[in-house]
Amino acid sequence: MLFSPSLAAETVQLLGRAILPADTFAPGATSGQLKKTNRTTPFRHSQPVQGFSSVIPGPKVGTYLVVSDNGFGAKANSPDYVLRIYAVEPDFTTGRVFPVNLQTGERLSSFNRQSFLELNDKKGLVKFPLIAEQAVYPTSNIPVSDKIQSQRLLTGGDFDIESFRRDSDGTYWLGDEFGPYLLHIGSQGELLDSPISLPNLGKIGGLNLIKSPDHPDFASLSSQEERLQAANLRGSSGFEGLAINPRGDKLYAMLEGVIKGDSLPRRLLIHEFDLASKKYTGKVFSYRLESSHHAIGELTAINDHEFIVIERDNRQGDRRQPGFANPAQFKRLYLINLQKTDHQGFVEKKLLVDLLKIADPQGIAGKDAYHGIFTFPFVTIENVLPLDAKTLLVINDNNYADSQGRSPKQSDNTEFILLRLGQSLNLDPSLYVR
Protein backbone atom coordinates (compact mmCIF):
# COMPACT_ATOMS: atom_id res chain seq x y z
CA MET A 1 0.00 0.00 0.00
CA LEU A 2 1.31 3.43 -0.92
CA PHE A 3 1.28 6.38 1.43
CA SER A 4 -1.99 7.71 2.87
CA PRO A 5 -1.75 10.95 4.88
CA SER A 6 -4.52 9.96 7.30
CA LEU A 7 -2.23 7.42 8.97
CA ALA A 8 1.02 9.41 8.79
CA ALA A 9 1.77 10.69 12.28
CA GLU A 10 0.24 7.81 14.21
CA THR A 11 2.18 5.03 12.50
CA VAL A 12 5.72 6.47 12.38
CA GLN A 13 8.14 4.58 14.62
CA LEU A 14 11.69 5.20 15.79
CA LEU A 15 13.97 2.47 14.37
CA GLY A 16 17.37 3.76 15.41
CA ARG A 17 19.27 6.65 16.94
CA ALA A 18 22.96 7.57 16.87
CA ILE A 19 24.54 10.65 18.40
CA LEU A 20 27.58 12.72 17.45
CA PRO A 21 28.70 14.74 20.50
CA ALA A 22 28.47 18.50 20.08
CA ASP A 23 32.15 19.00 20.91
CA THR A 24 33.52 17.12 17.91
CA PHE A 25 36.36 18.80 16.05
CA ALA A 26 38.49 18.31 12.96
CA PRO A 27 41.95 19.74 12.23
CA GLY A 28 42.19 22.99 10.31
CA ALA A 29 42.76 26.69 10.62
CA THR A 30 42.06 28.29 13.98
CA SER A 31 38.33 29.09 14.04
CA GLY A 32 35.78 30.86 16.17
CA GLN A 33 37.96 33.95 16.55
CA LEU A 34 35.02 36.26 15.88
CA LYS A 35 32.33 34.15 17.55
CA LYS A 36 30.88 34.41 21.04
CA THR A 37 29.33 31.07 21.93
CA ASN A 38 28.68 28.67 24.79
CA ARG A 39 32.25 27.46 24.51
CA THR A 40 35.69 28.97 25.07
CA THR A 41 36.94 30.35 21.79
CA PRO A 42 38.95 30.39 19.62
CA PHE A 43 39.31 26.75 18.60
CA ARG A 44 43.01 26.57 17.92
CA HIS A 45 44.11 24.68 14.79
CA SER A 46 40.66 23.10 14.51
CA GLN A 47 37.02 23.76 13.75
CA PRO A 48 33.74 22.19 14.90
CA VAL A 49 32.51 19.42 12.63
CA GLN A 50 28.86 20.48 13.05
CA GLY A 51 26.13 21.53 12.31
CA PHE A 52 24.95 19.61 9.30
CA SER A 53 22.63 21.10 6.71
CA SER A 54 22.18 18.36 4.11
CA VAL A 55 22.84 14.63 3.64
CA ILE A 56 23.35 12.28 0.69
CA PRO A 57 24.47 8.61 0.44
CA GLY A 58 28.16 8.01 1.14
CA PRO A 59 30.84 5.82 -0.46
CA LYS A 60 29.40 2.56 0.95
CA VAL A 61 26.05 1.41 2.32
CA GLY A 62 25.45 2.81 5.79
CA THR A 63 27.74 5.81 5.28
CA TYR A 64 26.71 9.32 4.37
CA LEU A 65 28.12 12.61 3.19
CA VAL A 66 26.97 15.64 5.15
CA VAL A 67 27.65 19.29 4.49
CA SER A 68 28.47 21.69 7.31
CA ASP A 69 26.96 25.14 6.83
CA ASN A 70 28.76 28.46 7.16
CA GLY A 71 30.03 27.70 10.66
CA PHE A 72 28.77 30.00 13.37
CA GLY A 73 25.50 31.25 11.93
CA ALA A 74 26.42 34.57 10.32
CA LYS A 75 28.69 35.96 7.63
CA ALA A 76 30.39 38.34 10.07
CA ASN A 77 31.41 35.70 12.63
CA SER A 78 32.39 32.82 10.32
CA PRO A 79 35.21 34.02 8.02
CA ASP A 80 37.67 31.61 9.64
CA TYR A 81 35.39 28.55 9.25
CA VAL A 82 36.33 26.51 6.16
CA LEU A 83 33.42 25.03 4.20
CA ARG A 84 33.53 21.23 4.13
CA ILE A 85 31.77 18.01 3.19
CA TYR A 86 32.25 15.26 5.79
CA ALA A 87 31.88 11.48 5.53
CA VAL A 88 30.21 9.76 8.49
CA GLU A 89 28.74 6.43 9.58
CA PRO A 90 25.96 6.39 12.18
CA ASP A 91 26.06 3.06 14.01
CA PHE A 92 22.52 2.38 15.16
CA THR A 93 23.66 -0.60 17.21
CA THR A 94 26.07 1.29 19.44
CA GLY A 95 24.35 4.66 19.08
CA ARG A 96 27.58 6.36 18.00
CA VAL A 97 28.56 8.26 14.85
CA PHE A 98 31.98 7.56 13.32
CA PRO A 99 34.09 9.46 10.81
CA VAL A 100 34.85 7.46 7.68
CA ASN A 101 37.18 7.75 4.73
CA LEU A 102 35.61 10.01 2.12
CA GLN A 103 36.66 7.69 -0.72
CA THR A 104 36.26 4.20 0.73
CA GLY A 105 33.81 4.55 3.62
CA GLU A 106 36.16 2.73 5.99
CA ARG A 107 35.97 3.83 9.61
CA LEU A 108 38.57 6.21 10.97
CA SER A 109 39.71 6.74 14.55
CA SER A 110 39.04 10.48 14.35
CA PHE A 111 37.96 13.20 11.98
CA ASN A 112 41.07 13.85 9.91
CA ARG A 113 41.86 14.95 6.38
CA GLN A 114 40.72 11.62 4.96
CA SER A 115 37.22 12.27 6.30
CA PHE A 116 36.41 15.58 4.62
CA LEU A 117 36.56 17.63 1.44
CA GLU A 118 37.37 21.33 1.61
CA LEU A 119 35.73 23.72 -0.82
CA ASN A 120 38.06 26.04 -2.72
CA ASP A 121 38.31 28.44 -5.63
CA LYS A 122 41.73 27.50 -6.96
CA LYS A 123 40.56 28.33 -10.48
CA GLY A 124 39.63 31.89 -9.54
CA LEU A 125 36.01 31.65 -10.69
CA VAL A 126 34.49 33.82 -7.96
CA LYS A 127 34.32 37.40 -9.20
CA PHE A 128 33.86 39.14 -5.85
CA PRO A 129 36.47 39.43 -3.04
CA LEU A 130 36.97 36.26 -1.03
CA ILE A 131 38.21 35.95 2.53
CA ALA A 132 41.25 34.14 1.07
CA GLU A 133 42.21 37.36 -0.73
CA GLN A 134 42.23 39.47 2.43
CA ALA A 135 45.13 40.21 4.78
CA VAL A 136 42.92 40.19 7.88
CA TYR A 137 39.47 38.88 8.70
CA PRO A 138 36.78 41.57 8.21
CA THR A 139 36.14 43.89 11.20
CA SER A 140 39.28 42.60 12.93
CA ASN A 141 43.06 42.82 12.91
CA ILE A 142 43.42 39.03 12.94
CA PRO A 143 45.52 37.76 9.99
CA VAL A 144 43.74 35.40 7.61
CA SER A 145 45.08 31.84 7.88
CA ASP A 146 47.99 31.12 5.54
CA LYS A 147 46.28 27.92 4.46
CA ILE A 148 43.02 29.68 3.60
CA GLN A 149 45.01 32.19 1.55
CA SER A 150 47.37 29.82 -0.24
CA GLN A 151 44.70 27.23 -1.15
CA ARG A 152 41.95 29.78 -1.78
CA LEU A 153 39.68 27.91 0.62
CA LEU A 154 36.08 29.02 0.80
CA THR A 155 34.78 30.01 4.22
CA GLY A 156 31.61 30.96 6.04
CA GLY A 157 32.45 34.56 5.25
CA ASP A 158 32.05 33.78 1.53
CA PHE A 159 29.06 31.41 1.31
CA ASP A 160 26.49 29.73 3.53
CA ILE A 161 26.00 26.27 2.06
CA GLU A 162 22.72 24.77 3.22
CA SER A 163 21.94 22.02 0.72
CA PHE A 164 23.75 19.73 -1.74
CA ARG A 165 23.35 16.91 -4.23
CA ARG A 166 25.62 14.65 -6.27
CA ASP A 167 25.42 14.88 -10.06
CA SER A 168 25.62 11.75 -12.25
CA ASP A 169 29.22 12.65 -13.16
CA GLY A 170 30.29 12.59 -9.49
CA THR A 171 30.44 16.36 -9.07
CA TYR A 172 28.40 18.20 -6.46
CA TRP A 173 25.85 21.00 -6.55
CA LEU A 174 25.38 23.11 -3.43
CA GLY A 175 22.76 25.68 -2.53
CA ASP A 176 23.98 28.87 -0.85
CA GLU A 177 22.00 31.41 1.17
CA PHE A 178 24.17 34.53 0.88
CA GLY A 179 23.59 35.14 -2.82
CA PRO A 180 21.64 33.02 -3.12
CA TYR A 181 23.85 31.02 -5.51
CA LEU A 182 24.16 27.53 -6.89
CA LEU A 183 27.73 26.25 -6.56
CA HIS A 184 29.19 23.47 -8.74
CA ILE A 185 32.01 21.61 -7.01
CA GLY A 186 34.46 19.01 -8.34
CA SER A 187 35.94 15.92 -6.71
CA GLN A 188 38.78 17.92 -5.16
CA GLY A 189 36.42 20.51 -3.70
CA GLU A 190 37.20 23.02 -6.45
CA LEU A 191 34.59 25.34 -7.93
CA LEU A 192 33.93 24.25 -11.52
CA ASP A 193 31.81 27.23 -12.55
CA SER A 194 31.31 30.77 -11.34
CA PRO A 195 28.53 30.97 -8.72
CA ILE A 196 25.16 30.95 -10.47
CA SER A 197 22.73 33.68 -9.45
CA LEU A 198 18.97 33.27 -9.22
CA PRO A 199 17.00 35.43 -11.69
CA ASN A 200 13.85 37.10 -10.42
CA LEU A 201 11.62 35.04 -12.68
CA GLY A 202 8.41 36.23 -11.05
CA LYS A 203 9.36 39.89 -11.54
CA ILE A 204 8.45 40.59 -7.91
CA GLY A 205 9.82 44.01 -7.01
CA GLY A 206 12.41 45.93 -9.01
CA LEU A 207 15.53 43.73 -8.92
CA ASN A 208 16.45 41.45 -11.81
CA LEU A 209 18.07 38.94 -9.45
CA ILE A 210 17.06 37.54 -6.09
CA LYS A 211 19.49 38.99 -3.54
CA SER A 212 19.82 38.56 0.20
CA PRO A 213 21.29 41.26 2.50
CA ASP A 214 24.54 39.25 2.44
CA HIS A 215 24.84 39.45 -1.35
CA PRO A 216 28.33 40.74 -2.31
CA ASP A 217 26.73 43.58 -4.31
CA PHE A 218 25.70 45.11 -1.00
CA ALA A 219 29.09 44.76 0.72
CA SER A 220 29.89 48.44 0.23
CA LEU A 221 26.75 49.62 2.02
CA SER A 222 27.60 51.07 5.41
CA SER A 223 24.92 49.47 7.58
CA GLN A 224 22.90 46.31 7.92
CA GLU A 225 19.75 48.43 7.70
CA GLU A 226 20.80 49.64 4.24
CA ARG A 227 21.57 46.08 3.12
CA LEU A 228 18.17 44.90 4.34
CA GLN A 229 16.51 47.73 2.46
CA ALA A 230 18.39 46.97 -0.77
CA ALA A 231 17.69 43.21 -0.72
CA ASN A 232 14.53 41.51 -1.94
CA LEU A 233 15.07 38.50 0.32
CA ARG A 234 15.65 38.60 4.04
CA GLY A 235 18.80 37.14 5.60
CA SER A 236 19.19 33.37 5.94
CA SER A 237 16.43 32.80 3.38
CA GLY A 238 18.29 31.47 0.35
CA PHE A 239 18.62 27.92 -0.97
CA GLU A 240 17.80 25.88 2.12
CA GLY A 241 16.42 23.07 -0.02
CA LEU A 242 17.96 21.44 -3.09
CA ALA A 243 16.75 18.25 -4.78
CA ILE A 244 17.86 16.33 -7.84
CA ASN A 245 15.34 14.25 -9.76
CA PRO A 246 15.97 10.50 -10.25
CA ARG A 247 16.66 11.02 -13.97
CA GLY A 248 19.54 13.25 -12.89
CA ASP A 249 18.83 16.04 -15.35
CA LYS A 250 17.13 18.65 -13.14
CA LEU A 251 17.76 20.37 -9.83
CA TYR A 252 14.98 21.90 -7.77
CA ALA A 253 16.23 24.80 -5.65
CA MET A 254 13.94 25.97 -2.86
CA LEU A 255 14.15 29.31 -1.08
CA GLU A 256 13.70 29.36 2.68
CA GLY A 257 12.13 32.81 2.72
CA VAL A 258 9.40 34.75 0.96
CA ILE A 259 10.48 37.29 -1.67
CA LYS A 260 9.91 40.84 -0.49
CA GLY A 261 6.76 42.29 -2.05
CA ASP A 262 5.12 38.93 -2.80
CA SER A 263 1.34 39.31 -2.57
CA LEU A 264 1.17 35.79 -1.09
CA PRO A 265 2.99 36.10 2.26
CA ARG A 266 3.35 32.34 2.89
CA ARG A 267 4.68 31.42 -0.55
CA LEU A 268 8.11 29.85 -0.99
CA LEU A 269 9.41 29.33 -4.52
CA ILE A 270 10.99 26.19 -5.98
CA HIS A 271 13.04 26.84 -9.13
CA GLU A 272 13.80 24.17 -11.73
CA PHE A 273 17.39 24.14 -13.01
CA ASP A 274 18.62 22.23 -16.07
CA LEU A 275 21.93 20.46 -15.45
CA ALA A 276 22.90 20.07 -19.10
CA SER A 277 22.68 23.78 -19.93
CA LYS A 278 23.40 24.94 -16.35
CA LYS A 279 20.51 27.37 -16.58
CA TYR A 280 17.15 27.85 -14.90
CA THR A 281 14.35 26.49 -17.08
CA GLY A 282 11.85 29.18 -16.09
CA LYS A 283 9.57 26.69 -14.32
CA VAL A 284 8.74 27.86 -10.81
CA PHE A 285 6.62 25.99 -8.27
CA SER A 286 4.91 27.46 -5.21
CA TYR A 287 4.91 25.94 -1.71
CA ARG A 288 2.55 27.25 0.96
CA LEU A 289 3.89 27.46 4.51
CA GLU A 290 1.47 26.57 7.30
CA SER A 291 2.45 29.83 9.00
CA SER A 292 4.34 32.91 7.87
CA HIS A 293 6.55 32.38 10.94
CA HIS A 294 7.71 28.96 9.74
CA ALA A 295 10.77 28.01 7.69
CA ILE A 296 11.77 25.00 5.62
CA GLY A 297 14.79 22.81 6.28
CA GLU A 298 15.22 20.66 3.18
CA LEU A 299 13.76 19.48 -0.14
CA THR A 300 14.40 15.85 -1.12
CA ALA A 301 13.12 13.90 -4.15
CA ILE A 302 11.39 10.54 -3.86
CA ASN A 303 10.53 10.36 -7.59
CA ASP A 304 10.41 12.76 -10.53
CA HIS A 305 7.41 14.69 -9.23
CA GLU A 306 7.11 13.98 -5.49
CA PHE A 307 9.39 15.48 -2.85
CA ILE A 308 9.74 15.65 0.93
CA VAL A 309 9.87 19.09 2.57
CA ILE A 310 10.90 19.75 6.17
CA GLU A 311 8.80 22.56 7.64
CA ARG A 312 9.41 23.85 11.14
CA ASP A 313 8.80 26.63 13.62
CA ASN A 314 11.60 28.57 15.31
CA ARG A 315 11.06 27.06 18.75
CA GLN A 316 12.98 24.33 20.53
CA GLY A 317 12.48 21.84 23.34
CA ASP A 318 9.94 19.18 24.32
CA ARG A 319 6.89 20.78 25.96
CA ARG A 320 6.66 17.83 28.36
CA GLN A 321 10.08 18.63 29.78
CA PRO A 322 10.42 21.39 32.40
CA GLY A 323 12.74 24.26 31.59
CA PHE A 324 11.63 25.22 28.08
CA ALA A 325 9.85 28.58 28.07
CA ASN A 326 8.90 28.36 24.37
CA PRO A 327 8.89 24.66 23.45
CA ALA A 328 8.66 23.36 19.91
CA GLN A 329 5.15 23.17 18.48
CA PHE A 330 5.70 22.40 14.79
CA LYS A 331 8.32 20.08 13.28
CA ARG A 332 6.96 18.19 10.29
CA LEU A 333 7.79 16.42 7.06
CA TYR A 334 5.43 16.98 4.16
CA LEU A 335 5.02 15.11 0.89
CA ILE A 336 4.50 17.46 -2.06
CA ASN A 337 3.52 16.75 -5.65
CA LEU A 338 4.68 19.17 -8.35
CA GLN A 339 2.14 17.78 -10.81
CA LYS A 340 -0.83 18.74 -8.64
CA THR A 341 -1.62 22.36 -7.79
CA ASP A 342 -4.57 24.30 -6.38
CA HIS A 343 -6.32 27.35 -7.87
CA GLN A 344 -3.55 29.67 -6.60
CA GLY A 345 -0.79 27.51 -8.04
CA PHE A 346 0.38 25.96 -4.77
CA VAL A 347 1.63 22.38 -5.02
CA GLU A 348 -0.29 19.61 -3.29
CA LYS A 349 0.97 19.04 0.23
CA LYS A 350 0.27 16.13 2.59
CA LEU A 351 1.51 15.45 6.10
CA LEU A 352 4.07 12.66 6.11
CA VAL A 353 5.64 12.75 9.60
CA ASP A 354 5.00 14.77 12.75
CA LEU A 355 8.46 14.85 14.35
CA LEU A 356 6.92 15.69 17.71
CA LYS A 357 4.88 12.47 17.73
CA ILE A 358 7.20 9.54 17.00
CA ALA A 359 6.29 6.20 18.52
CA ASP A 360 9.13 4.46 20.36
CA PRO A 361 7.79 0.99 21.26
CA GLN A 362 11.32 -0.45 21.52
CA GLY A 363 12.50 2.18 24.00
CA ILE A 364 15.36 3.23 21.73
CA ALA A 365 15.31 6.83 22.97
CA GLY A 366 15.50 5.86 26.64
CA LYS A 367 14.80 8.79 28.95
CA ASP A 368 14.26 11.12 25.97
CA ALA A 369 10.91 9.46 25.24
CA TYR A 370 7.87 10.09 27.43
CA HIS A 371 5.10 7.50 27.67
CA GLY A 372 6.39 5.82 24.52
CA ILE A 373 6.53 9.01 22.42
CA PHE A 374 9.82 10.46 21.18
CA THR A 375 10.17 13.99 19.84
CA PHE A 376 12.71 15.69 17.60
CA PRO A 377 12.28 19.19 19.08
CA PHE A 378 15.29 21.00 17.62
CA VAL A 379 15.01 24.52 16.30
CA THR A 380 16.66 23.55 12.99
CA ILE A 381 16.13 20.16 11.34
CA GLU A 382 17.77 20.28 7.94
CA ASN A 383 18.47 16.74 6.74
CA VAL A 384 16.13 14.05 5.43
CA LEU A 385 17.02 11.12 3.18
CA PRO A 386 14.81 8.18 2.10
CA LEU A 387 16.70 4.91 2.52
CA ASP A 388 13.92 2.72 1.18
CA ALA A 389 10.18 3.11 0.62
CA LYS A 390 9.40 2.95 4.35
CA THR A 391 12.57 4.24 6.03
CA LEU A 392 13.82 7.81 6.44
CA LEU A 393 17.06 9.16 7.89
CA VAL A 394 16.57 12.51 9.66
CA ILE A 395 19.33 14.67 11.21
CA ASN A 396 19.21 17.95 13.10
CA ASP A 397 21.49 20.95 12.63
CA ASN A 398 22.83 21.67 16.12
CA ASN A 399 23.95 25.26 15.36
CA TYR A 400 27.10 24.59 17.34
CA ALA A 401 27.04 25.49 20.18
CA ASP A 402 23.99 27.67 20.58
CA SER A 403 20.89 25.49 20.19
CA GLN A 404 19.50 23.75 23.27
CA GLY A 405 16.52 21.70 22.13
CA ARG A 406 17.11 18.36 23.81
CA SER A 407 18.02 19.53 27.31
CA PRO A 408 17.76 23.04 28.80
CA LYS A 409 21.11 24.81 29.15
CA GLN A 410 22.94 22.02 27.31
CA SER A 411 24.27 22.49 23.79
CA ASP A 412 22.66 20.09 21.35
CA ASN A 413 24.43 17.09 19.95
CA THR A 414 23.79 16.03 16.38
CA GLU A 415 21.24 13.22 16.36
CA PHE A 416 20.79 10.78 13.49
CA ILE A 417 17.43 9.00 13.65
CA LEU A 418 15.84 6.28 11.53
CA LEU A 419 12.09 6.48 11.10
CA ARG A 420 9.81 3.69 9.92
CA LEU A 421 6.74 4.83 8.00
CA GLY A 422 3.47 2.99 8.37
CA GLN A 423 2.95 2.93 4.62
CA SER A 424 5.25 2.97 1.62
CA LEU A 425 6.38 5.95 -0.39
CA ASN A 426 6.41 5.75 -4.18
CA LEU A 427 10.21 5.82 -4.06
CA ASP A 428 12.01 5.62 -7.39
CA PRO A 429 14.09 2.38 -7.48
CA SER A 430 17.25 4.37 -8.22
CA LEU A 431 16.96 6.13 -4.86
CA TYR A 432 17.09 3.03 -2.64
CA VAL A 433 20.24 3.17 -0.53
CA ARG A 434 19.78 0.15 1.76
Side-chain angles (χ1 to χ4, degrees):
M1 180 185 293
L2 294 181
F3 173 75
S4 171
S6 62
L7 299 176
E10 300 303 323
T11 56
V12 174
Q13 292 189 7
L14 184 66
L15 276 188
R17 186 187 186 202
I19 295 175
L20 183 66
D23 296 314
T24 300
F25 295 85
T30 296
S31 65
Q33 297 170 97
L34 286 82
K35 168 67 175 177
K36 293 182 180 179
T37 185
N38 294 313
R39 294 293 188 270
T40 300
T41 54
F43 307 115
R44 299 198 177 278
H45 308 298
S46 67
Q47 67 179 49
V49 170
Q50 306 153 85
F52 299 146
S53 292
S54 195
V55 59
I56 63 173
K60 62 187 293 187
V61 174
T63 68
Y64 305 93
L65 301 185
V66 288
V67 63
S68 58
D69 54 25
N70 87 309
F72 302 111
K75 190 172 189 176
N77 64 18
S78 303
D80 56 6
Y81 188 93
V82 176
L83 303 181
R84 290 174 173 174
I85 297 170
Y86 287 93
V88 297
E89 179 189 3
D91 185 330
F92 295 106
T93 301
T94 65
R96 299 172 61 192
V97 178
F98 296 90
V100 299
N101 185 290
L102 190 75
Q103 304 300 325
T104 67
E106 297 303 314
R107 281 189 186 179
L108 301 171
S109 59
S110 64
F111 281 94
N112 58 37
R113 300 202 174 277
Q114 292 181 313
S115 66
F116 58 78
L117 183 68
E118 294 185 311
L119 276 55
N120 65 79
D121 183 32
K122 293 181 180 178
K123 297 183 177 183
L125 295 172
V126 176
K127 302 308 179 186
F128 55 82
L130 294 174
I131 297 299
E133 298 170 350
Q134 313 303 312
V136 297
Y137 294 116
T139 70
S140 80
N141 59 1
I142 303 170
V144 173
S145 159
D146 289 343
K147 183 183 177 187
I148 290 175
Q149 291 178 325
S150 63
Q151 299 186 22
R152 290 183 61 83
L153 298 179
L154 300 178
T155 78
D158 302 314
F159 299 101
D160 181 6
I161 50 175
E162 295 286 345
S163 48
F164 86 128
R165 298 296 166 194
R166 185 190 290 111
D167 203 337
S168 58
D169 61 3
T171 62
Y172 302 101
W173 288 89
L174 297 95
D176 155 73
E177 287 209 301
F178 287 165
Y181 296 110
L182 287 180
L183 306 179
H184 191 198
I185 302 293
S187 61
Q188 301 304 308
E190 75 281 13
L191 267 176
L192 297 176
D193 300 287
S194 295
I196 300 171
S197 297
L198 174 63
N200 186 358
L201 296 173
K203 306 299 182 184
I204 301 171
L207 297 179
N208 291 327
L209 300 176
I210 302 300
K211 296 181 180 182
S212 87
D214 292 310
H215 194 283
D217 283 357
F218 303 144
S220 61
L221 298 181
S222 59
S223 70
Q224 180 64 5
E225 183 177 348
E226 288 181 276
R227 289 187 283 273
L228 289 168
Q229 184 65 31
N232 56 2
L233 192 69
R234 72 176 192 271
S236 191
S237 298
F239 288 141
E240 190 70 40
L242 186 67
I244 187 168
N245 63 353
R247 290 197 305 269
D249 61 350
K250 298 290 191 300
L251 291 175
Y252 294 87
M254 186 174 187
L255 294 172
E256 185 177 12
V258 177
I259 296 174
K260 188 188 299 183
D262 195 332
S263 61
L264 299 173
R266 289 189 284 150
R267 178 167 66 174
L268 301 184
L269 299 181
I270 303 169
H271 293 79
E272 185 181 76
F273 182 85
D274 181 71
L275 287 168
S277 64
K278 298 180 183 178
K279 293 181 179 179
Y280 287 96
T281 67
K283 289 185 179 180
V284 182
F285 304 90
S286 298
Y287 175 90
R288 189 200 305 270
L289 291 167
E290 296 300 295
S291 165
S292 60
H293 300 294
H294 288 177
I296 64 101
E298 184 57 291
L299 177 72
T300 301
I302 65 167
N303 54 53
D304 279 323
H305 60 276
E306 290 184 300
F307 299 77
I308 297 173
V309 175
I310 302 174
E311 185 175 337
R312 60 169 181 83
D313 59 19
N314 288 304
R315 297 168 176 252
Q316 61 181 351
D318 191 322
R319 61 179 176 80
R320 301 169 298 176
Q321 185 176 353
F324 289 110
N326 295 293
Q329 296 180 349
F330 194 100
K331 312 289 179 183
R332 294 181 177 181
L333 308 183
Y334 283 97
L335 184 67
I336 67 170
N337 188 331
L338 301 187
Q339 293 182 348
K340 297 181 179 180
T341 58
D342 67 13
H343 68 284
Q344 289 185 301
F346 287 103
V347 297
E348 181 185 80
K349 173 183 178 184
K350 297 178 180 179
L351 178 63
L352 179 61
V353 177
D354 186 339
L355 292 169
L356 300 180
K357 295 180 181 178
I358 302 169
D360 184 21
Q362 301 178 60
I364 291 170
K367 64 180 178 58
D368 290 327
Y370 297 86
H371 305 294
I373 299 297
F374 174 70
T375 67
F376 214 55
F378 303 105
V379 64
T380 45
I381 303 164
E382 300 187 352
N383 309 260
V384 59
L385 180 69
L387 304 186
D388 59 43
K390 297 186 73 171
T391 310
L392 301 178
L393 172 68
V394 180
I395 314 167
N396 66 306
D397 173 0
N398 74 343
N399 298 305
Y400 184 83
D402 297 330
S403 292
Q404 300 173 352
R406 182 59 70 194
S407 299
K409 300 181 180 180
Q410 180 176 317
S411 296
D412 284 331
N413 300 315
T414 295
E415 299 189 16
F416 293 63
I417 59 172
L418 290 180
L419 300 180
R420 184 69 168 175
L421 303 177
Q423 299 182 58
S424 296
L425 297 169
N426 185 22
L427 187 67
D428 188 279
S430 67
L431 299 180
Y432 280 69
V433 296
R434 57 177 298 174

